[in-house]
Amino acid sequence: KAGVTQTPRYLIKTRGQQVTLSCSPISGHRSVSWYQQTPGQGLQFLFEYFSETQRNKGNFPGRFSGRQFSNSRSEMNVSTLELGDSALYLCASSLEVGLQETQYFGPGTRLLVL
Amino acid sequence: GESVGLHLPTLSVQEGDNSIINCAYSNSASDYFIWYKQESGKGPQFIIDIRSNMDKRQGQRVTVLLNKTVKHLSLQIAATQPGDSAVYFCAEILSGGYQKVTFGTGTKLQVIP
């Protein structure tokens, strides 16, 4: 069974631009969660989607948004990029909703904002 | 300029010895805890979890101990192998209207062959 895939793997943007990252969960998994990982702040939770609905949400500004499609694939969008948004963005999928569920992480998208 | 990166504590262990990685969590109401392993260039990998109503849970070569009195979590790896070299971090989950998850900063485990 294929693992979680994320595209693109690397991305360079400039301040003020927006970016959309994509995540395809493991087949059969209905929950997708997004995380941001930086050297300064470590790993932080962004949000979780299940059945196309946001079920859990971290403490990030509204510039960070996401959505989930009927096939469970998910996208996250960051608008008006700031230098501090440079990070590794990780997607994780699980069978059921809830952060206590066993989550399987993708390799991440490394975003650099210049 | 660039932000200063986290200085991860490093644990160096001889191959074959046992490793103990510690984590202090912040919220006494957290009801679920998870240990993750992250190898260089990869996403985190689930190792083992424990509910707050338990003190100990064992997996294959790993044991998690939970001490709620001092809000401390530990991960014990038996017979440490070179493939165990990675960053390990804990996560605490607080249930509620929205679940809240907080991750520890991590410990780098170096296995000396």
Side-chain angles (χ1 to χ4, degrees):
Chain A
K1 189 183 277 192
V4 176
T5 57
Q6 293 186 243
T7 56
R9 291 294 311 278
Y10 303 92
L11 202 51
I12 300 176
K13 292 284 188 179
T14 56
R15 280 181 298 176
Q17 286 187 310
Q18 73 163 13
V19 66
T20 299
L21 310 181
S22 181
C23 172
S24 292
I26 291 172
S27 178
H29 284 195
R30 298 190 294 163
S31 170
V32 173
S33 297
W34 288 91
Y35 299 84
Q36 181 196 65
Q37 189 172 35
T38 62
Q41 299 295 322
L43 193 59
Q44 294 182 285
F45 170 67
L46 281 155
F47 27 65
E48 179 186 20
Y49 284 86
F50 181 82
S51 294
E52 302 178 62
T53 303
Q54 189 181 85
R55 300 302 182 103
N56 282 300
K57 185 179 184 300
N59 190 28
F60 275 79
R63 298 186 298 107
F64 292 81
S65 63
R67 60 176 176 168
Q68 187 181 33
F69 302 96
S70 58
N71 62 358
S72 294
R73 191 177 69 84
S74 177
E75 290 181 346
M76 68 161 282
N77 183 278
V78 188
S79 62
T80 319
L81 284 165
E82 300 176 0
L83 294 180
D85 297 333
S86 294
L88 180 67
Y89 289 89
L90 292 158
C91 164
S93 75
S94 58
L95 279 169
E96 297 296 335
V97 67
L99 301 180
Q100 76 284 354
E101 295 292 318
T102 300
Q103 298 193 328
Y104 296 84
F105 284 79
T109 293
R110 189 163 294 281
L111 171 66
L112 177 61
V113 182
L114 301 176
Chain B
E2 293 185 351
S3 60
V4 176
L6 283 173
H7 176 68
L8 294 178
T10 300
L11 175 66
S12 296
V13 174
Q14 204 73 37
E15 181 179 357
D17 287 351
N18 296 334
S19 303
I20 300 176
I21 300 171
N22 297 304
C23 175
Y25 63 93
S26 59
N27 195 327
S28 57
S30 292
D31 47 6
Y32 202 84
F33 303 88
I34 304 174
W35 276 101
Y36 288 99
K37 170 187 180 183
Q38 188 171 21
E39 296 175 274
S40 181
K42 297 183 179 180
Q45 177 187 353
F46 171 92
I47 301 174
I48 192 168
D49 56 10
I50 188 169
R51 293 189 180 279
S52 60
N53 61 356
M54 302 170 66
D55 298 324
K56 179 180 180 179
R57 189 162 189 226
Q58 287 184 292
Q60 187 177 16
R61 278 202 310 120
V62 294
T63 301
V64 55
L65 298 177
L66 176 62
N67 185 331
K68 294 182 285 292
T69 303
V70 294
K71 293 190 288 186
H72 183 268
L73 197 66
S74 69
L75 176 70
Q76 300 178 1
I77 304 174
T80 312
Q81 303 169 359
D84 295 328
S85 293
V87 174
Y88 291 80
F89 51 91
C90 64
E92 58 177 303
I93 296 173
L94 175 67
S95 296
Y98 271 144
Q99 282 182 309
K100 180 180 177 182
V101 58
T102 306
F103 294 90
T105 54
T107 297
K108 184 176 182 179
L109 176 65
Q110 286 183 333
V111 181
I112 305 165

